[in-house]
């Protein structure tokens, strides 16, 4: 029988404290405050905490362990950074209304981080982790594609039997076991400026060339395979009466099949090598920043086990695929069984109405507790 006792009032107080700290990906000071909170909390229950500084423009990352073993039966992942600008927390601080908690980063992913602490603290108190090696990785650059922490996360994942990611549950309560890969690219096209009325024929329009690129790239969207290509940011020209000498664009690519990203990259290489507009040149920078997260056979076994636990606890378990990125993709691409979306349920991510369902906090914590307990019961405790 589940012995876990959850103190929702304490959790809410801690959640309010965390949400009211600005911790955008470039807010080094704010992330340091969130780091200090979790470092102190885990140290107080006897866990070993190490801070990592991978770049001076990013906040610290936390590596937290309960043993000296060089492997993890479970690695829990979450991120301390948000997408919001400094000052957002003061403009719309933590609030609860109609059963929903509001505030920047409340669901993505501060609610999940806090759940990790409360669950592991309870498991330790109940002496359920005596023969289990647990690792916790909280990074500070997830919202900018983990550009600094990725090698560290992959190193930890390689030492792990399974990875649990506490990104928020979907708005309908679904958990996640499949995600699209993410590619990000920057285009720069250079032409020749000229007066649009007097010397139009002497100009070489970078805008005209970019138009060809946009049409060609968008044509690679394929909903049947789950591939989407979006030219989302465009800038060009200096004045309406000047043939544009420069155009820039940012491109987002999402895919389940890595070959689809390679096909999009080939389109860009072909366009750069053979411009459609005479006299222009083009450069492309970027790559696939997150590989697809695809469930392995072992992942599906763990999904099935969690479904049984959910039935025992009266918690519906449904698995879904999503186009949003997650650090779970790094672990899954290495062949490590990875379950995602284990945090409390939320919605409106990255927007002013981001929310977390208060009634989902305790059930999701109980499920995470039971799953880790299950791993402990079934661990061979050997390598």
């Amino acid at each position: 029988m589940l012995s876990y006792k959850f103190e929702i009032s304490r959790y809410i107080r801690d959640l309010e404290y965390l949400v009211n700290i600005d911790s955008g990906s470039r807010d080094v000071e704010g992330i340091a405050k969130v780091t200090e909170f979790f470092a102190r909390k885990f140290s107080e229950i006897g866990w070993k905490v190490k801070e990592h500084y991978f770049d001076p423009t990013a906040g610290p990352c936390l590596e937290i362990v309960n043993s000296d073993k060089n492997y993890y039966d479970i690695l829990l992942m979450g991120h301390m950074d948000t997408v919001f600008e400094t000052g957002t927390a003061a403009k719309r601080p933590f609030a609860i209304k109609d059963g929903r908690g509001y505030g920047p980063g409340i669901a993505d992913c501060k609610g999940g981080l806090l759940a990790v602490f409360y669950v592991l603290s309870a498991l330790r108190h109940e002496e359920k982790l005596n023969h289990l090696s647990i690792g916790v990785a909280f990074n500070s650059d997830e919202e900018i594609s983990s550009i600094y922490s990725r090698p560290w996360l992959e190193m930890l994942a390689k030492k792990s039997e399974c990875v649990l990611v506490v990104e928020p549950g979907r708005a309908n309560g679904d958990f996640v076991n499949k995600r699209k890969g993410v590619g990000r690219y920057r285009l720069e096209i250079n032409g020749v400026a000229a007066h649009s009325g007097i010397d139009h024929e002497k100009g070489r329009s970078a805008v005209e060339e970019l138009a060809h690129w946009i049409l060609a790239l968008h044509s690679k969207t394929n909903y049947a395979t789950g591939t989407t290509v979006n030219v989302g940011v465009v800038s060009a020209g200096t004045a309406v009466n000047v043939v544009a000498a420069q155009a820039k664009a940012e491109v987002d690519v999402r895919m389940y099949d890595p070959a689809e990203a390679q096909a999009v990259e080939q389109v860009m290489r072909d366009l750069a090598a053979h411009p459609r507009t005479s006299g222009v040149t083009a450069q492309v920078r970027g790559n696939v920043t997150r590989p697809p997260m695809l469930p392995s056979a072992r992942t599906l076994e763990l999904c099935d086990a969690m479904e049984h636990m959910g039935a025992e606890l009266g918690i519906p378990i449904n698995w879904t695929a999503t186009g949003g990125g997650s650090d779970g993709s790094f672990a899954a691409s290495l062949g490590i069984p990875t379950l995602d979306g284990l945090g409390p349920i939320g919605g409106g991510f990255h927007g002013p109405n981001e929310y977390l369902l208060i009634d989902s906090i305790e059930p999701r914590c109980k499920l995470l507790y039971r799953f880790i307990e299950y791993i402990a019961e079934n661990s061979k405790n050997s390598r």
Side-chain angles (χ1 to χ4, degrees), residues 113-155:
L113 301 181
L114 201 54
V116 170
F117 170 73
Y118 272 79
V119 168
L120 293 180
S121 180
L123 285 162
R124 176 189 174 279
H125 180 73
E126 297 289 333
E127 299 186 350
K128 299 289 181 68
L129 302 178
N130 292 346
H131 303 292
L132 208 63
S133 177
I134 302 288
V136 177
F138 290 168
N139 67 335
S140 60
D141 59 344
E142 192 271 348
E143 296 293 3
I144 52 173
S145 298
S146 303
I147 55 178
Y148 307 119
S149 64
R150 178 177 178 174
W152 169 66
L153 293 173
E154 291 177 331
M155 180 270 293

Side-chain angles (χ1 to χ4, degrees), residues 100-356:
R100 292 182 174 185
Y102 292 92
I106 189 168
D108 185 19
C109 137
K110 290 180 179 179
L113 301 181
L114 201 54
V116 170
F117 170 73
Y118 272 79
V119 168
L120 293 180
S121 180
L123 285 162
R124 176 189 174 279
H125 180 73
E126 297 289 333
E127 299 186 350
K128 299 289 181 68
L129 302 178
N130 292 346
H131 303 292
L132 208 63
S133 177
I134 302 288
V136 177
F138 290 168
N139 67 335
S140 60
D141 59 344
E142 192 271 348
E143 296 293 3
I144 52 173
S145 298
S146 303
I147 55 178
Y148 307 119
S149 64
R150 178 177 178 174
W152 169 66
L153 293 173
E154 291 177 331
M155 180 270 293
L156 296 177
K158 288 176 183 178
K159 301 193 295 182
S160 306
E161 285 296 307
C162 70
V163 171
L164 307 180
V165 186
V166 292
E167 291 281 355
R170 304 299 90 178
N172 63 357
D174 283 356
F175 297 79
V176 177
N177 62 5
K178 184 177 181 181
R179 289 182 182 269
K180 292 183 181 181
V182 181
R184 292 287 170 81
Y185 304 87
R186 292 177 179 271
L187 316 179
E188 183 173 327
I189 299 173
N190 293 291
V192 178
H195 192 289
S196 63
I198 301 173
D199 294 317
H200 188 279
E201 73 282 1
K202 296 180 181 179
R204 299 293 181 264
S205 175
V207 169
E208 179 182 347
E209 180 65 13
L210 179 57
H212 289 289
W213 283 66
I214 293 172
L215 292 173
L217 289 170
H218 279 200
S219 73
K220 300 302 292 183
T221 289
N222 185 338
Y223 295 127
T225 62
T227 300
T228 58
V229 183
N230 184 60
V231 181
V233 179
V234 171
S235 61
T238 57
V240 69
N241 60 345
V242 178
V243 175
Q246 189 176 68
K248 296 181 181 180
E250 296 181 30
V251 185
D252 177 278
V253 180
R254 309 276 169 142
M255 82 309 293
Y256 289 119
D257 183 352
E260 294 279 287
Q262 295 170 11
V264 173
E265 290 178 354
Q266 186 60 53
V267 168
M268 290 189 281
R269 284 193 293 269
D270 291 343
L271 285 165
H274 305 287
R276 302 299 189 266
T277 306
S278 176
V280 305
T281 60
Q283 291 182 323
V284 181
R285 296 181 178 87
N287 52 35
V288 173
T289 59
R290 293 187 190 278
M293 174 180 153
L294 305 175
S296 65
R298 177 56 178 159
T299 298
L300 296 177
E301 289 176 4
L302 293 178
C303 290
D304 184 63
M306 185 169 282
E307 289 173 21
H308 287 291
M309 295 171 213
E312 294 173 1
L313 297 172
I315 301 171
I317 306 292
N318 295 298
W319 298 96
T320 191
T322 179
S326 160
D327 288 331
S329 295
F330 301 140
S333 68
L334 295 170
I336 312 301
T338 303
L339 305 184
D340 204 340
L342 303 182
I345 298 169
F349 313 125
H350 294 191
N353 296 313
E354 179 179 348
Y355 69 87
L356 181 148

Side-chain angles (χ1 to χ4, degrees), residues 15 98-99 157:
L15 183 62
D98 298 328

